[in-house]
Amino acid sequence: MINQKICRTCVLPESSLFHLDATGNCKICNSPTLFKYIIKKPDNEKLSHLIDQIKRNGKNRRFDCVVAWSGGRDSTFMLHELVKIHNLRCVAVFGKTPFTPNEIKDSVHSISERLKIELIEVQTPSNHQEIAGYCLNEYLRTQTPILINLACASCKFINKEIFKQARQLGVKTVIYGGNRFEYFPSGPASIDINSENRYSFPNMVRDNISRIIKGVGILTTSPALLKYCLTFYKASVLYVNQYTVYLRVRYPDIIRFDYYHFADWDENKINVALNNLGWKLPSGCNSTWRADCVFEAVKNTAFKKQLGFTYAQAMYSNLIRGGKITREEALNRLDKEGISEPRLHKALELCGLTPNAFADKNG
């Protein structure tokens, strides 16, 4: 951070993606249309309407909704709000991966008991570690950024399991904790946040086509990935998020939405609730962001080497634009947090690589 020239408004450094202009601002800060959806005001009226609809749909049923729960900060607070504030009868589907810290697993069990909710655990495919290690090795060999995202392909299968559980339970609503402040308009797996209709059916059809075209391009540069081609197709097209064409057509009667697209995201309020619930940071973790997965350290390391900044810098820049934190606060947090070496080494170990894998490949 100290040696980088940083945007005068946010905390994005000058990089191959973002050159600072004469005033010292980056492209995003100079283009409000790129982040207008991120900083929009909470829509409590719409949220209230959705909650009322959920309760009506849940009448005479055992549960009102299925909640996608990673065990991390945002989804845990969301679950707390849905149960304690909105008085919904929730069943939480917890998606476990080989990269989920034991402390998160323990928290999920204790918090579900404290909230008195039904807990269902689902697991990513058995070859998750194998695929993650394979993609990471390919990334280190080719330096193709999207391979880091493909390493997480198995996680997307959890979306399929969540809807399967909802169907089996007869539940008509699935709620996710997607945080709009984590969206970023550039990078290997960027999201077009310029449109509020990003997840409309026509846009998702176009999204599917672009993903397939991109996938063909990736296979031409890394033909070895053909070994897991079907997994990548399903993860990137069928199950990449809850709004895919496939999941919409397969489960047309189930409402799905992201809680924080309508509710306010207040970190102070979140921290108080998490403390009361007994949620704690996993060992070696120095930030509440993505605390539920040690592989985030790999993604942050690759992102920084490739683009010059981390996902955390991108998120904090969005929080600054949204008026959630000051630039000074963001800089102080980035100095204290950084990439956790213990978590990076643990993720690399799980992928079958040495702790120095990145250094070895980059000389």
Side-chain angles (χ1 to χ4, degrees), residues 14 23 26 57 60 65 82 132 137 150 185-186 189 224 232 271 274 291 300 315 321:
E14 189 159 44
T23 67
C26 69
N57 290 343
N60 298 323
C65 61
L82 293 173
N137 267 308
L150 288 177
S186 298
F232 296 145
N271 288 337
L274 293 184
N300 253 332
M315 183 189 70
R321 298 183 193 105

Side-chain angles (χ1 to χ4, degrees), residues 54 64-69 78 82 91 93 159 161-167 171-177 242-243 251 253-259:
I54 291 169
D64 293 315
C65 61
V66 165
V67 179
W69 192 14
M78 172 186 68
L82 293 173
V91 54
V93 177
N159 290 322
E161 295 301 321
I162 287 170
F163 279 87
K164 281 177 62 178
Q165 292 294 333
R167 171 67 59 81
V171 177
K172 296 299 182 181
T173 304
V174 172
I175 307 177
Y176 281 73
Q242 64 270 36
Y243 304 107
Y251 303 99
D253 56 329
I254 297 178
I255 298 170
R256 75 278 323 256
F257 69 93
D258 284 286
Y259 182 74

